[in-house]
Amino acid sequence: MNKVCIVSPSSISYTPYLHLYLNLLRKNNVECDIVYWDRFNLKESINNSFSFNSEVSGGKFSTLKGYWGFRQFLINHFSKNKYDKYIILSAQMGVILFDFLLDKNFVLDIRDYSHERIYFFNFFEKILIKKSKMVFISSKGFEDWLPKEKKYVV
């Protein structure tokens, strides 16, 4: 049986497509865990969820520090829990986990266009897109700036 890990960079109620993935996985009897960053300290919980609790107090340094802490939390979690597949809910999380994901079976879900103008981010994101099994996007317009050789699911 496959075991899937969904990684979200935000609190559960701020993750709009999470329930679509959960419903699809449950419908197909796929075991899954959700690992998320409770950045608003909402202390939400659903079955098989693990949270990194760290509020962002504002500013770029606080956000970067939070992403670094969440990355450490994820790497530690992955060392103790084995998964067959990963669903990464944002390009930012993909880039943060770049080295970890390179040899993994993963799906990338891109929901915003906010960091692509940063050269190193764009560079790593394109590699992740090529290596991913599938890429979901929230708008057909995203195809204008994403690599042309990949097919996307809107």
Side-chain angles (χ1 to χ4, degrees):
M1 177 187 242
N2 285 330
K3 187 170 183 182
V4 174
C5 182
I6 299 174
V7 177
S8 174
S10 194
S11 302
I12 291 170
S13 60
Y14 286 84
T15 308
Y17 298 97
L18 176 61
H19 286 61
L20 292 175
Y21 287 107
L22 290 175
N23 290 339
L24 181 64
L25 293 168
R26 288 177 182 146
K27 181 179 176 183
N28 289 289
N29 295 317
V30 176
E31 184 181 351
C32 79
D33 289 342
I34 303 144
V35 185
Y36 68 98
W37 176 6
D38 187 7
R39 61 171 66 200
F40 302 109
N41 201 25
L42 300 176
K43 296 185 178 19
E44 302 169 293
S45 183
I46 56 177
N47 290 343
N48 300 339
S49 66
F50 303 87
S51 66
F52 170 67
N53 300 303
S54 175
E55 286 186 70
V56 176
S57 59
K60 289 181 183 177
F61 180 74
S62 176
T63 302
L64 287 173
K65 184 178 169 192
Y67 270 110
W68 180 253
F70 188 40
R71 175 192 157 76
Q72 298 302 92
F73 178 82
L74 288 166
I75 297 301
N76 183 48
H77 178 83
F78 297 153
S79 72
K80 297 175 185 171
N81 299 274
K82 300 302 175 202
Y83 299 100
D84 301 298
K85 296 178 177 136
Y86 299 84
I87 299 173
I88 308 301
L89 299 181
S90 82
Q92 293 91 326
M93 283 314 315
V95 170
I96 295 292
L97 292 170
F98 180 82
D99 59 323
F100 174 80
L101 291 173
L102 284 178
D103 64 347
K104 303 295 187 281
N105 185 350
F106 69 97
V107 169
L108 191 58
D109 188 309
I110 301 174
R111 297 290 160 186
D112 65 36
Y113 176 77
S114 56
H115 296 87
E116 283 68 17
R117 291 184 199 109
I118 301 169
Y119 174 78
F120 82 90
F121 183 92
N122 194 24
F123 176 81
F124 289 118
E125 181 182 43
K126 285 182 179 177
I127 293 170
L128 287 169
I129 287 169
K130 289 177 185 173
K131 295 214 170 259
S132 68
K133 299 299 178 200
M134 188 178 293
V135 179
F136 292 94
I137 57 176
S138 61
S139 169
K140 199 128 179 80
F142 284 19
E143 292 177 344
D144 293 343
W145 53 267
L146 291 168
K148 305 296 182 220
E149 61 274 3
K150 188 83 172 185
K151 294 200 186 257
Y152 302 96
V153 179
V154 182

